PDB file of all heavy atoms in Angstrom:
ATOM      1  N   LEU A 196      12.425  66.451 -57.034  1.00 89.00           N
ATOM      2  CA  LEU A 196      13.112  66.722 -55.785  1.00 89.00           C
ATOM      3  C   LEU A 196      14.529  66.084 -55.816  1.00 89.00           C
ATOM      4  O   LEU A 196      15.499  66.683 -55.313  1.00 89.00           O
ATOM      5  CB  LEU A 196      12.322  66.148 -54.599  1.00 89.00           C
ATOM      6  CG  LEU A 196      12.927  66.168 -53.212  1.00 89.00           C
ATOM      7  CD1 LEU A 196      13.154  67.602 -52.725  1.00 89.00           C
ATOM      8  CD2 LEU A 196      12.122  65.376 -52.226  1.00 89.00           C
ATOM      9  N   ILE A 197      14.649  64.906 -56.416  1.00 89.00           N
ATOM     10  CA  ILE A 197      15.926  64.198 -56.410  1.00 89.00           C
ATOM     11  C   ILE A 197      16.895  64.720 -57.486  1.00 89.00           C
ATOM     12  O   ILE A 197      18.070  64.914 -57.222  1.00 89.00           O
ATOM     13  CB  ILE A 197      15.697  62.685 -56.632  1.00 89.00           C
ATOM     14  CG1 ILE A 197      14.817  62.122 -55.513  1.00 89.00           C
ATOM     15  CG2 ILE A 197      16.997  61.933 -56.688  1.00 89.00           C
ATOM     16  CD1 ILE A 197      15.420  62.263 -54.117  1.00 89.00           C
ATOM     17  N   TYR A 198      16.414  64.972 -58.665  1.00 91.00           N
ATOM     18  CA  TYR A 198      17.259  65.189 -59.822  1.00 91.00           C
ATOM     19  C   TYR A 198      17.397  66.664 -60.285  1.00 91.00           C
ATOM     20  O   TYR A 198      18.319  66.999 -60.992  1.00 91.00           O
ATOM     21  CB  TYR A 198      16.829  64.334 -61.016  1.00 91.00           C
ATOM     22  CG  TYR A 198      16.780  62.885 -60.772  1.00 91.00           C
ATOM     23  CD1 TYR A 198      15.639  62.145 -60.913  1.00 91.00           C
ATOM     24  CD2 TYR A 198      17.929  62.181 -60.361  1.00 91.00           C
ATOM     25  CE1 TYR A 198      15.588  60.768 -60.658  1.00 91.00           C
ATOM     26  CE2 TYR A 198      17.923  60.847 -60.088  1.00 91.00           C
ATOM     27  CZ  TYR A 198      16.752  60.132 -60.263  1.00 91.00           C
ATOM     28  OH  TYR A 198      16.706  58.804 -60.032  1.00 91.00           O
ATOM     29  N   ILE A 199      16.404  67.499 -59.942  1.00 89.00           N
ATOM     30  CA  ILE A 199      16.330  68.797 -60.558  1.00 89.00           C
ATOM     31  C   ILE A 199      16.678  69.914 -59.504  1.00 89.00           C
ATOM     32  O   ILE A 199      16.165  69.926 -58.422  1.00 89.00           O
ATOM     33  CB  ILE A 199      14.888  69.075 -61.131  1.00 89.00           C
ATOM     34  CG1 ILE A 199      14.533  67.995 -62.134  1.00 89.00           C
ATOM     35  CG2 ILE A 199      14.832  70.458 -61.750  1.00 89.00           C
ATOM     36  CD1 ILE A 199      15.486  67.914 -63.312  1.00 89.00           C
ATOM     37  N   ARG A 200      17.543  70.809 -59.939  1.00 88.00           N
ATOM     38  CA  ARG A 200      17.903  71.959 -59.140  1.00 88.00           C
ATOM     39  C   ARG A 200      17.455  73.285 -59.831  1.00 88.00           C
ATOM     40  O   ARG A 200      17.330  74.343 -59.157  1.00 88.00           O
ATOM     41  CB  ARG A 200      19.386  71.989 -58.840  1.00 88.00           C
ATOM     42  CG  ARG A 200      19.930  70.809 -58.041  1.00 88.00           C
ATOM     43  CD  ARG A 200      19.342  70.832 -56.649  1.00 88.00           C
ATOM     44  NE  ARG A 200      19.731  69.645 -55.891  1.00 88.00           N
ATOM     45  CZ  ARG A 200      18.998  68.526 -55.784  1.00 88.00           C
ATOM     46  NH1 ARG A 200      17.839  68.460 -56.436  1.00 88.00           N
ATOM     47  NH2 ARG A 200      19.399  67.510 -55.109  1.00 88.00           N
ATOM     48  N   ASN A 201      17.313  73.254 -61.101  1.00 87.00           N
ATOM     49  CA  ASN A 201      16.907  74.436 -61.872  1.00 87.00           C
ATOM     50  C   ASN A 201      15.395  74.612 -61.729  1.00 87.00           C
ATOM     51  O   ASN A 201      14.608  73.795 -62.106  1.00 87.00           O
ATOM     52  CB  ASN A 201      17.305  74.258 -63.327  1.00 87.00           C
ATOM     53  CG  ASN A 201      17.055  75.501 -64.159  1.00 87.00           C
ATOM     54  OD1 ASN A 201      16.528  76.492 -63.630  1.00 87.00           O
ATOM     55  ND2 ASN A 201      17.455  75.472 -65.380  1.00 87.00           N
ATOM     56  N   GLU A 202      14.972  75.781 -61.216  1.00 86.00           N
ATOM     57  CA  GLU A 202      13.574  76.044 -60.998  1.00 86.00           C
ATOM     58  C   GLU A 202      12.787  76.071 -62.284  1.00 86.00           C
ATOM     59  O   GLU A 202      11.554  75.808 -62.314  1.00 86.00           O
ATOM     60  CB  GLU A 202      13.363  77.398 -60.266  1.00 86.00           C
ATOM     61  CG  GLU A 202      13.870  77.383 -58.836  1.00 86.00           C
ATOM     62  CD  GLU A 202      13.541  78.703 -58.159  1.00 86.00           C
ATOM     63  OE1 GLU A 202      12.931  79.578 -58.791  1.00 86.00           O
ATOM     64  OE2 GLU A 202      13.904  78.855 -56.938  1.00 86.00           O
ATOM     65  N   LYS A 203      13.434  76.362 -63.399  1.00 88.00           N
ATOM     66  CA  LYS A 203      12.728  76.405 -64.686  1.00 88.00           C
ATOM     67  C   LYS A 203      12.292  75.034 -65.174  1.00 88.00           C
ATOM     68  O   LYS A 203      11.485  74.918 -66.090  1.00 88.00           O
ATOM     69  CB  LYS A 203      13.643  77.062 -65.776  1.00 88.00           C
ATOM     70  CG  LYS A 203      13.911  78.533 -65.498  1.00 88.00           C
ATOM     71  CD  LYS A 203      14.760  79.125 -66.603  1.00 88.00           C
ATOM     72  CE  LYS A 203      15.020  80.625 -66.353  1.00 88.00           C
ATOM     73  NZ  LYS A 203      15.844  81.237 -67.410  1.00 88.00           N
ATOM     74  N   LEU A 204      12.864  73.994 -64.546  1.00 89.00           N
ATOM     75  CA  LEU A 204      12.492  72.615 -64.930  1.00 89.00           C
ATOM     76  C   LEU A 204      11.505  71.976 -63.964  1.00 89.00           C
ATOM     77  O   LEU A 204      11.142  70.808 -64.111  1.00 89.00           O
ATOM     78  CB  LEU A 204      13.753  71.744 -65.008  1.00 89.00           C
ATOM     79  CG  LEU A 204      14.820  72.190 -65.994  1.00 89.00           C
ATOM     80  CD1 LEU A 204      15.995  71.248 -65.979  1.00 89.00           C
ATOM     81  CD2 LEU A 204      14.279  72.342 -67.412  1.00 89.00           C
ATOM     82  N   TRP A 205      11.066  72.709 -62.981  1.00 90.00           N
ATOM     83  CA  TRP A 205      10.120  72.164 -62.019  1.00 90.00           C
ATOM     84  C   TRP A 205       8.793  71.819 -62.682  1.00 90.00           C
ATOM     85  O   TRP A 205       8.331  72.517 -63.561  1.00 90.00           O
ATOM     86  CB  TRP A 205       9.856  73.172 -60.854  1.00 90.00           C
ATOM     87  CG  TRP A 205      10.981  73.261 -59.886  1.00 90.00           C
ATOM     88  CD1 TRP A 205      12.163  72.591 -59.918  1.00 90.00           C
ATOM     89  CD2 TRP A 205      10.994  74.108 -58.721  1.00 90.00           C
ATOM     90  NE1 TRP A 205      12.922  72.963 -58.823  1.00 90.00           N
ATOM     91  CE2 TRP A 205      12.251  73.858 -58.082  1.00 90.00           C
ATOM     92  CE3 TRP A 205      10.115  74.983 -58.147  1.00 90.00           C
ATOM     93  CZ2 TRP A 205      12.576  74.520 -56.891  1.00 90.00           C
ATOM     94  CZ3 TRP A 205      10.457  75.662 -56.992  1.00 90.00           C
ATOM     95  CH2 TRP A 205      11.678  75.409 -56.359  1.00 90.00           C
ATOM     96  N   THR A 206       8.180  70.735 -62.160  1.00 90.00           N
ATOM     97  CA  THR A 206       6.828  70.410 -62.597  1.00 90.00           C
ATOM     98  C   THR A 206       5.816  71.115 -61.733  1.00 90.00           C
ATOM     99  O   THR A 206       6.143  71.686 -60.697  1.00 90.00           O
ATOM    100  CB  THR A 206       6.609  68.876 -62.483  1.00 90.00           C
ATOM    101  OG1 THR A 206       6.768  68.453 -61.146  1.00 90.00           O
ATOM    102  CG2 THR A 206       7.548  68.110 -63.400  1.00 90.00           C
ATOM    103  N   LEU A 207       4.536  71.073 -62.148  1.00 88.00           N
ATOM    104  CA  LEU A 207       3.498  71.783 -61.422  1.00 88.00           C
ATOM    105  C   LEU A 207       3.355  71.266 -60.023  1.00 88.00           C
ATOM    106  O   LEU A 207       3.201  72.037 -59.080  1.00 88.00           O
ATOM    107  CB  LEU A 207       2.202  71.673 -62.183  1.00 88.00           C
ATOM    108  CG  LEU A 207       0.981  72.359 -61.583  1.00 88.00           C
ATOM    109  CD1 LEU A 207       1.225  73.867 -61.428  1.00 88.00           C
ATOM    110  CD2 LEU A 207      -0.266  72.059 -62.398  1.00 88.00           C
ATOM    111  N   GLN A 208       3.367  69.946 -59.865  1.00 89.00           N
ATOM    112  CA  GLN A 208       3.151  69.391 -58.529  1.00 89.00           C
ATOM    113  C   GLN A 208       4.272  69.763 -57.553  1.00 89.00           C
ATOM    114  O   GLN A 208       4.028  70.054 -56.394  1.00 89.00           O
ATOM    115  CB  GLN A 208       3.069  67.848 -58.631  1.00 89.00           C
ATOM    116  CG  GLN A 208       1.980  67.341 -59.610  1.00 89.00           C
ATOM    117  CD  GLN A 208       0.590  67.836 -59.223  1.00 89.00           C
ATOM    118  OE1 GLN A 208       0.327  68.136 -58.058  1.00 89.00           O
ATOM    119  NE2 GLN A 208      -0.277  67.969 -60.195  1.00 89.00           N
ATOM    120  N   TYR A 209       5.490  69.792 -58.063  1.00 88.00           N
ATOM    121  CA  TYR A 209       6.616  70.184 -57.184  1.00 88.00           C
ATOM    122  C   TYR A 209       6.546  71.683 -56.904  1.00 88.00           C
ATOM    123  O   TYR A 209       6.861  72.108 -55.768  1.00 88.00           O
ATOM    124  CB  TYR A 209       7.959  69.832 -57.804  1.00 88.00           C
ATOM    125  CG  TYR A 209       9.115  70.037 -56.891  1.00 88.00           C
ATOM    126  CD1 TYR A 209       9.428  69.097 -55.939  1.00 88.00           C
ATOM    127  CD2 TYR A 209       9.898  71.193 -56.990  1.00 88.00           C
ATOM    128  CE1 TYR A 209      10.484  69.304 -55.098  1.00 88.00           C
ATOM    129  CE2 TYR A 209      10.934  71.395 -56.116  1.00 88.00           C
ATOM    130  CZ  TYR A 209      11.214  70.453 -55.190  1.00 88.00           C
ATOM    131  OH  TYR A 209      12.281  70.643 -54.294  1.00 88.00           O
ATOM    132  N   HIS A 210       6.120  72.449 -57.862  1.00 86.00           N
ATOM    133  CA  HIS A 210       5.976  73.881 -57.648  1.00 86.00           C
ATOM    134  C   HIS A 210       4.917  74.171 -56.599  1.00 86.00           C
ATOM    135  O   HIS A 210       5.110  75.005 -55.701  1.00 86.00           O
ATOM    136  CB  HIS A 210       5.626  74.591 -58.957  1.00 86.00           C
ATOM    137  CG  HIS A 210       5.402  76.042 -58.828  1.00 86.00           C
ATOM    138  ND1 HIS A 210       6.325  76.904 -58.289  1.00 86.00           N
ATOM    139  CD2 HIS A 210       4.352  76.848 -59.191  1.00 86.00           C
ATOM    140  CE1 HIS A 210       5.878  78.151 -58.320  1.00 86.00           C
ATOM    141  NE2 HIS A 210       4.673  78.131 -58.845  1.00 86.00           N
ATOM    142  N   LEU A 211       3.770  73.466 -56.683  1.00 83.00           N
ATOM    143  CA  LEU A 211       2.744  73.653 -55.647  1.00 83.00           C
ATOM    144  C   LEU A 211       3.231  73.199 -54.278  1.00 83.00           C
ATOM    145  O   LEU A 211       2.905  73.857 -53.295  1.00 83.00           O
ATOM    146  CB  LEU A 211       1.491  72.850 -56.058  1.00 83.00           C
ATOM    147  CG  LEU A 211       0.778  73.298 -57.358  1.00 83.00           C
ATOM    148  CD1 LEU A 211      -0.386  72.334 -57.657  1.00 83.00           C
ATOM    149  CD2 LEU A 211       0.278  74.726 -57.187  1.00 83.00           C
ATOM    150  N   ARG A 212       3.979  72.127 -54.254  1.00 84.00           N
ATOM    151  CA  ARG A 212       4.530  71.681 -52.991  1.00 84.00           C
ATOM    152  C   ARG A 212       5.467  72.746 -52.411  1.00 84.00           C
ATOM    153  O   ARG A 212       5.441  72.969 -51.198  1.00 84.00           O
ATOM    154  CB  ARG A 212       5.308  70.360 -53.207  1.00 84.00           C
ATOM    155  CG  ARG A 212       6.029  69.848 -51.979  1.00 84.00           C
ATOM    156  CD  ARG A 212       6.875  68.620 -52.313  1.00 84.00           C
ATOM    157  NE  ARG A 212       7.672  68.208 -51.126  1.00 84.00           N
ATOM    158  CZ  ARG A 212       8.822  68.717 -50.778  1.00 84.00           C
ATOM    159  NH1 ARG A 212       9.354  69.681 -51.494  1.00 84.00           N
ATOM    160  NH2 ARG A 212       9.448  68.272 -49.722  1.00 84.00           N
ATOM    161  N   ASP A 213       6.267  73.323 -53.246  1.00 82.00           N
ATOM    162  CA  ASP A 213       7.209  74.354 -52.762  1.00 82.00           C
ATOM    163  C   ASP A 213       6.442  75.584 -52.204  1.00 82.00           C
ATOM    164  O   ASP A 213       6.831  76.133 -51.182  1.00 82.00           O
ATOM    165  CB  ASP A 213       8.105  74.810 -53.923  1.00 82.00           C
ATOM    166  CG  ASP A 213       9.126  75.842 -53.501  1.00 82.00           C
ATOM    167  OD1 ASP A 213      10.069  75.471 -52.742  1.00 82.00           O
ATOM    168  OD2 ASP A 213       8.997  77.011 -53.906  1.00 82.00           O
ATOM    169  N   ILE A 214       5.312  75.927 -52.861  1.00 76.00           N
ATOM    170  CA  ILE A 214       4.506  77.026 -52.374  1.00 76.00           C
ATOM    171  C   ILE A 214       3.930  76.729 -50.993  1.00 76.00           C
ATOM    172  O   ILE A 214       3.946  77.540 -50.078  1.00 76.00           O
ATOM    173  CB  ILE A 214       3.351  77.341 -53.355  1.00 76.00           C
ATOM    174  CG1 ILE A 214       3.938  77.938 -54.648  1.00 76.00           C
ATOM    175  CG2 ILE A 214       2.371  78.331 -52.726  1.00 76.00           C
ATOM    176  CD1 ILE A 214       2.900  78.184 -55.750  1.00 76.00           C
ATOM    177  N   LEU A 215       3.440  75.481 -50.831  1.00 77.00           N
ATOM    178  CA  LEU A 215       2.869  75.084 -49.541  1.00 77.00           C
ATOM    179  C   LEU A 215       3.940  75.080 -48.444  1.00 77.00           C
ATOM    180  O   LEU A 215       3.684  75.497 -47.306  1.00 77.00           O
ATOM    181  CB  LEU A 215       2.248  73.693 -49.664  1.00 77.00           C
ATOM    182  CG  LEU A 215       0.962  73.601 -50.519  1.00 77.00           C
ATOM    183  CD1 LEU A 215       0.529  72.131 -50.617  1.00 77.00           C
ATOM    184  CD2 LEU A 215      -0.143  74.436 -49.905  1.00 77.00           C
ATOM    185  N   VAL A 216       5.141  74.552 -48.772  1.00 78.00           N
ATOM    186  CA  VAL A 216       6.221  74.550 -47.791  1.00 78.00           C
ATOM    187  C   VAL A 216       6.589  75.934 -47.339  1.00 78.00           C
ATOM    188  O   VAL A 216       6.757  76.214 -46.163  1.00 78.00           O
ATOM    189  CB  VAL A 216       7.412  73.780 -48.380  1.00 78.00           C
ATOM    190  CG1 VAL A 216       8.619  73.950 -47.427  1.00 78.00           C
ATOM    191  CG2 VAL A 216       7.100  72.315 -48.542  1.00 78.00           C
TER     192      VAL A 216
END
Side-chain angles (χ1 to χ4, degrees):
L196 174 66
I197 300 300
Y198 301 122
I199 303 300
R200 297 295 176 266
N201 187 355
E202 291 185 2
K203 293 182 178 180
L204 302 180
W205 283 3
T206 60
L207 179 61
Q208 304 302 333
Y209 187 80
H210 178 55
L211 295 177
R212 174 187 177 275
D213 183 70
I214 292 175
L215 292 176
V216 170

